[in-house]
Amino acid sequence: MNFQLPLKDPIPIFSLVLFIILLAPIILRKFRIPSIIGLILAGMAIGDHGFHIIEKGSIDLFGKAGLLYIMFLAGLELDMTEFRKNRHRSLVFGAFTFFLPLILGYLVCTYFLHFNFMASLLVSSMFATHTLVAYPLASRLGITKNEAVTVAVGAIITDTAVLLILAVITGAQQGNLNTAFWIRLSVSVVVFAAIILWVFPMIGRWFFKKIKDDKTSHFIFVLALVFLGAFLAELAGVEGIIGAFLAGLALNQLIPHTSSLMNRVEFVGNALFIPFFLISVGMIVDLRVLLKGPDALIIAGVLTTIALFSKWLAAFFTQLSFKYTPAQRNVIFGLSSSHAAATIAVILIGYNMGIIDEHVLNGTVILILVTCMVGSFVTQNAGRKLALVEAEKMPEMPAGPERTLIPVANFDKLEPLLDFSMLMRSPGQPSPIHPLVVVKDDEEAKEKIFLSNKLMEKALVSAAATEANIKLVARVDLNVPDGISRSVKEIGISDVVMAWSDKNTTTDRLFGTLFGTTMENVLQVVWETTYICRFLYPLNTSRRLILMLPQNAEYELGFAHYMQKMMLLSRQVGARLQVYCSNSTKDAVHELMQRNKSSMEIAFHAFEQMEDFLVLARSISRDDLLVVVSARKGTLSYSAYMENLPAKLEKHFKNSNLLLIYPEQTELEINEPGVQAQDLTLTPIQEQLTNLNRIGKVVKRIFRNPPQEQ
């Protein structure tokens, strides 16, 4: 084999690039330099203008894919609740970051650099673009949900305006700027945006419902939609990055941030596609242009200065408009100051059409290098400060760790229960999720434990992709309820998640059912928050989360806990939260949201009687998740209609996802030794005394922990 440079064989090319992706961040981390800069510098070294080890065309495919991936992740990780709430702020910042660079750039290009009108318009429009090169840094620091990041990412749509200006300049240069041109451009952009934002979610929801278990197909499907969106954008006459960003917005609510699919999407992007893009950016840079005379140096200096100053000015005016902190202003500046993708497109097209000369092209290449480095440094430094501030502003969380127990009776249903448990977990919770198998203590117990471990390992394969902390528990006990109850106490469980059992399955016959009489017994000995789940379709396909609260729900011990879980679940799956409750319960929910500084948008509906939930049956669709809060017998929010509630729900909501919640409540106090709560039949007088005892405990709890003054 003849070894010569530049490399031609894909094997050594791919091997070299992978070693750069591996080593550059490790080395530069020791010098506190962002890894992004290391990859750009490495691209400069191996590219056509460095040691010419690899030709840029050799990695163009992966580089282009990486650029689209950055834009896709920006749309996918956007907090849609915050985005909708702050969309006017994104528009304001978008106006600042578009018009200020455009106006300043045009004035400088016309009166200082003495460009003609077309060249001044082209170069000044280039200043208005920004590429989210530093976005992976913000994602790594965990600040993507901060309002400053949301505003900066939302303003990326300004690139569309720049590329539309480019299309107009191109049409004018070719003499095609007529009525037909304007009609064709307008119609194509509207049709393209409608297809991505309306058709893509419909296709995605249908696909995830039909293909439930093939996780590999889910990832390939998402990847295909990203590149299809980019292709449709180019057909419409705008840059593909806009299509990738809109595809991320379209799929945002179908891919929960804690799901295994999201983990795969981020992993592949951060490990391969995005590093390839950053290396390809470095390969464009040619530092030798600075030696071609003073003209190139002056133009490069002026272009870079105007690009950075105008973006800082836009961030500064945004800070003044919305009273942001200096750290937030700098994060906005860092994210919006990098120029790469649209900048290259604008300048190369202008150069090829003869609108600008070689000096401007070379000056733009230097601008790309400097702005990417400045944007990365600023985002990392300001992002760390913002992350510390965010950590101090975290809302109040329930005392103690969150530990989830999943008693398993049917191993085929374990995966959706795990997905549900991970979607409900508060951010930063290190405690593991505990799948539990309880077998009766008889002569076959040893064989059942062995079989259960085998089945459990098979069911947990996909859960490993989420990097969740899973700890299996197998227990031999006299019966299933006692085994669950003892596990709850020994592990310190806060939430119990169970499947809506299908009777007469093989595993039910082996390990016992958790429904019917056994379910009632479990609820009598387990007083922690318990969730009974029937998921016919993946949760990420839910359009609405309909939560039904009984009267006096706010007086139960676990009210705040499960309400926080439902609000978190709504955000994770992108489902609109609609709460049906009484006026007093509505006030309690508002008070809880204020105490936890929640900006959740909730639609409330009057709901006084538990029997009224049947009226909803006509309006509930397959795309809804119906959550009904019940109560254990004898508790404050219990009503007679809750008797056999699971059977009633099954009868009237056959085609919907169902979630039945039994909140954490106060355990019955039985002083007589050897008597279990579930074995007692209380007389009416005893029931009244028990209720009075519970009311007294609630009143004491309210006086011990009065609501905080707002």
Side-chain angles (χ1 to χ4, degrees), residues 231-244:
F231 174 67
L232 292 175
E234 292 182 346
L235 287 181
V238 295
E239 192 68 18
I241 56 175
I242 304 301

Side-chain angles (χ1 to χ4, degrees), residues 321-338:
S321 300
F322 304 120
K323 296 181 173 57
Y324 289 150
T325 64
Q328 287 178 304
R329 178 200 64 212
N330 290 339
V331 165
I332 293 173
F333 167 63
L335 288 172
S336 62
S337 61
S338 300

Side-chain angles (χ1 to χ4, degrees), residues 238-257:
V238 295
E239 192 68 18
I241 56 175
I242 304 301
F245 178 69
L246 291 181
L249 290 180
L251 298 176
N252 184 289
Q253 297 184 340
L254 294 177
I255 305 179
H257 292 180

Side-chain angles (χ1 to χ4, degrees), residues 91-164:
L91 290 174
V92 170
F93 172 63
F96 284 142
T97 199
F98 178 76
F99 287 110
L100 285 175
L102 189 69
I103 295 170
L104 288 176
Y106 183 81
L107 293 175
V108 170
C109 290
T110 302
Y111 297 106
F112 184 78
L113 297 177
H114 304 294
F115 292 167
N116 60 37
F117 171 76
M118 201 64 75
S120 296
L121 182 61
L122 182 76
V123 175
S124 60
S125 67
M126 174 264 292
F127 292 140
T129 66
H130 68 267
T131 304
L132 295 173
V133 170
Y135 183 80
L137 291 175
S139 180
R140 203 171 298 136
L141 290 168
I143 58 172
T144 55
K145 295 184 184 301
N146 186 273
E147 185 177 310
V149 179
T150 303
V151 167
V153 172
I156 194 66
I157 207 70
T158 56
D159 277 10
T160 304
V162 173
L163 296 170
L164 290 176

Side-chain angles (χ1 to χ4, degrees), residues 271-558:
L272 283 178
F273 288 129
I274 295 175
F276 266 94
F277 163 68
L278 296 171
I279 291 173
S280 70
V281 169
M283 295 176 76
I284 299 172
V285 178
D286 183 6
L287 293 178
R288 291 174 298 184
V289 301
L290 298 178
L291 305 176
K292 292 185 177 181
D295 289 343
L297 194 59
I298 291 172
I299 290 177
V302 171
L303 295 183
T304 304
T305 302
I306 292 300
L308 291 173
F309 176 70
S310 60
K311 290 295 185 181
W312 183 88
L313 207 58
F316 177 71
F317 281 127
T318 304
Q319 177 194 11
L320 293 181
S321 300
F322 304 120
K323 296 181 173 57
Y324 289 150
T325 64
Q328 287 178 304
R329 178 200 64 212
N330 290 339
V331 165
I332 293 173
F333 167 63
L335 288 172
S336 62
S337 61
S338 300
H339 291 69
T343 304
I344 295 171
V346 170
I347 292 302
L348 285 179
I349 291 175
Y351 178 73
N352 292 331
M353 297 182 67
I355 300 175
I356 59 172
D357 59 17
E358 184 182 11
H359 292 313
V360 177
L361 176 63
N362 291 332
T364 303
V365 171
I366 301 303
L367 177 149
I368 290 170
L369 172 63
V370 175
T371 57
C372 286
M373 294 181 69
V374 170
S376 300
F377 273 116
V378 172
T379 301
Q380 179 159 295
N381 292 332
R384 285 175 177 168
K385 296 177 183 178
L386 198 57
L388 293 175
V389 174
E390 286 290 293
E392 295 175 357
K393 290 167 55 179
M394 287 292 288
E396 296 178 12
M397 298 306 300
E402 298 178 15
R403 296 192 176 98
T404 304
L405 187 74
I406 307 179
V408 182
N410 186 341
F411 292 94
D412 294 334
K413 294 185 176 182
L414 177 57
E415 186 175 339
L417 295 182
L418 281 170
D419 290 341
F420 169 70
S421 301
M422 287 183 284
L423 288 172
M424 285 201 312
R425 285 174 71 80
S426 301
Q429 281 291 335
S431 304
I433 296 173
H434 300 270
L436 167 70
V437 172
V438 179
V439 300
K440 292 183 179 179
D441 189 6
D442 54 27
E443 62 277 3
E444 298 179 355
K446 186 175 181 180
E447 290 77 9
K448 289 179 180 178
I449 286 289
F450 177 78
L451 176 60
S452 68
N453 286 335
K454 284 290 184 184
L455 294 171
M456 189 83 80
E457 289 174 5
K458 183 179 179 182
L460 289 174
V461 170
S462 63
T466 64
E467 300 180 357
N469 189 0
I470 308 293
K471 187 174 181 180
L472 306 180
V473 180
R475 188 182 190 96
V476 178
D477 215 310
L478 295 176
N479 54 60
V480 172
D482 285 347
I484 296 173
S485 175
R486 290 191 175 96
S487 297
V488 167
K489 293 174 182 176
E490 291 171 3
I491 303 173
I493 295 298
S494 60
D495 299 272
V496 180
V497 177
M498 296 181 177
W500 206 291
S501 179
D502 296 325
K503 299 183 177 70
N504 300 321
T505 63
T506 303
T507 48
D508 283 342
R509 290 194 295 271
L510 282 173
F511 302 107
T513 180
L514 291 177
F515 214 65
T517 305
T518 306
M519 186 68 238
E520 295 173 1
N521 292 339
V522 169
L523 291 172
Q524 288 293 339
V525 295
V526 175
W527 292 84
E528 281 67 27
T529 306
T530 303
Y531 308 84
I532 314 299
C533 312
R534 189 191 74 179
F535 300 139
L536 304 179
Y537 314 106
L539 286 175
N540 59 311
T541 63
S542 304
R543 291 181 183 271
R544 298 185 299 171
L545 192 158
I546 297 176
L547 176 62
M548 306 180 63
L549 303 176
Q551 282 190 328
N552 300 325
E554 66 272 24
Y555 296 112
E556 298 291 1
L557 180 63

Side-chain angles (χ1 to χ4, degrees), residues 692-709:
L692 289 173
N693 181 37
R694 293 181 186 285
I695 293 172
K697 288 185 177 183
V698 170
V699 171
K700 288 179 183 178
R701 189 163 62 248
I702 291 173
F703 278 104
R704 276 201 310 268
N705 303 297
Q708 298 180 3
E709 293 184 4

Side-chain angles (χ1 to χ4, degrees), residues 537-595:
Y537 314 106
L539 286 175
N540 59 311
T541 63
S542 304
R543 291 181 183 271
R544 298 185 299 171
L545 192 158
I546 297 176
L547 176 62
M548 306 180 63
L549 303 176
Q551 282 190 328
N552 300 325
E554 66 272 24
Y555 296 112
E556 298 291 1
L557 180 63
F559 172 73
H561 180 74
Y562 73 74
M563 278 303 305
Q564 288 174 337
K565 294 295 185 186
M566 291 302 101
M567 288 189 280
L568 180 60
L569 179 64
S570 173
R571 292 177 74 103
Q572 290 277 33
V573 302
R576 297 188 300 275
L577 181 58
Q578 298 188 5
V579 178
Y580 288 75
C581 62
S582 63
N583 287 330
S584 60
T585 305
K586 176 182 175 181
D587 295 338
V589 174
H590 279 305
E591 181 185 339
L592 176 66
M593 293 174 65
Q594 291 176 0
R595 191 164 63 244

Side-chain angles (χ1 to χ4, degrees), residues 561-690:
H561 180 74
Y562 73 74
M563 278 303 305
Q564 288 174 337
K565 294 295 185 186
M566 291 302 101
M567 288 189 280
L568 180 60
L569 179 64
S570 173
R571 292 177 74 103
Q572 290 277 33
V573 302
R576 297 188 300 275
L577 181 58
Q578 298 188 5
V579 178
Y580 288 75
C581 62
S582 63
N583 287 330
S584 60
T585 305
K586 176 182 175 181
D587 295 338
V589 174
H590 279 305
E591 181 185 339
L592 176 66
M593 293 174 65
Q594 291 176 0
R595 191 164 63 244
N596 287 339
K597 303 171 186 175
S598 173
S599 59
M600 190 84 185
E601 294 181 3
I602 302 178
F604 288 93
H605 303 273
F607 179 73
E608 298 293 339
Q609 299 296 328
M610 195 67 187
E611 296 87 338
D612 294 342
F613 83 88
L614 293 180
V615 178
L616 286 175
R618 294 187 295 272
S619 62
I620 300 294
S621 71
R622 295 184 178 184
D623 293 334
D624 297 328
L625 169 61
L626 177 61
V627 182
V628 179
V629 177
S630 185
R632 295 164 179 83
K633 187 177 293 186
T635 55
L636 286 173
S637 57
Y638 180 81
S639 67
Y641 197 79
M642 293 179 182
E643 192 75 25
N644 297 323
L645 183 58
K648 296 173 183 175
L649 291 172
E650 274 194 299
K651 177 181 178 182
H652 295 285
F653 303 95
K654 296 179 180 179
N655 299 318
S656 302
N657 284 341
L658 293 176
L659 178 60
L660 186 59
I661 300 178
Y662 291 87
E664 179 185 359
Q665 291 168 313
T666 308
E667 186 173 357
L668 286 169
E669 292 185 353
I670 305 297
N671 297 321
E672 191 175 340
V675 179
Q676 298 294 323
Q678 68 267 25
D679 297 330
L680 286 177
T681 303
L682 299 178
T683 65
I685 295 177
Q686 288 174 320
E687 287 187 359
Q688 294 298 325
L689 290 173
T690 301

